[in-house]
Amino acid sequence: MMLVGGGVLVCVAMLLAWWFYSRAEKTEFPTILSGTATVVLTAEGYEPREITIRKNTTVTFRSENKSQHWPASDLHPAHEIYPEFDPGRPLESDEMWQFTFDKVGTWGLHDHIRSYYTGVVHVVE
């Protein structure tokens, strides 16, 4: 009898977990199929934090903060995963930097000055 009651509790718990998960807000990341895209560093981090673009799309990186910024590929601090994706220096707060993603893949990025700001660029054919 105890085994049956425990099994019922497990089933009820699984059903509730599924119900909450199925109603959870799903985050949709922007998909840019051609042209250009913009990623902005805000006080909360990169916006959008994740983006999907086609190969050879140019992304403009800019900041809304009043301090320097430095978007670069992972891994911090060497930027070796996609070394071309690095302006090579800090950018002033009002300075923008553009990079054309010519390699298919998933590329992590971070702000080299404040590495806790992170994002992801998915590049597809």
Side-chain angles (χ1 to χ4, degrees):
M1 183 79 163
M2 183 68 89
L3 182 60
V4 172
V8 170
L9 287 176
V10 169
C11 287
V12 169
M14 290 175 60
L15 182 60
L16 285 172
W18 170 83
W19 185 79
F20 281 112
Y21 176 77
S22 68
R23 281 156 179 69
E25 185 176 318
K26 307 278 191 292
T27 303
E28 294 288 328
F29 298 111
T31 300
I32 308 300
L33 299 179
S34 62
T36 62
T38 300
V39 175
V40 180
L41 182 59
T42 70
E44 289 79 39
Y46 285 110
E47 182 62 40
R49 187 173 181 280
E50 196 163 336
I51 190 169
T52 301
I53 59 173
R54 286 208 187 270
K55 181 179 174 183
N56 295 319
T57 297
T58 299
V59 178
T60 300
F61 294 88
R62 65 180 183 82
S63 176
E64 290 182 347
N65 300 332
K66 299 291 185 206
S67 57
Q68 292 180 325
H69 63 113
W70 186 336
S73 74
D74 284 343
L75 295 166
H76 181 71
H79 315 149
E80 293 175 348
I81 293 178
Y82 195 163
E84 300 85 3
F85 174 32
D86 181 354
R89 63 175 178 81
L91 306 172
E92 295 305 319
S93 61
D94 61 347
E95 190 176 1
M96 293 184 288
W97 179 68
Q98 292 186 320
F99 182 75
T100 301
F101 287 84
D102 61 357
K103 296 179 184 178
V104 171
T106 296
W107 311 108
L109 72 114
H110 65 278
D111 180 65
H112 184 67
I113 298 169
R114 290 167 300 283
S115 62
Y116 48 85
Y117 290 140
T118 61
V120 178
V121 178
H122 302 279
V123 182
V124 297
E125 283 292 338

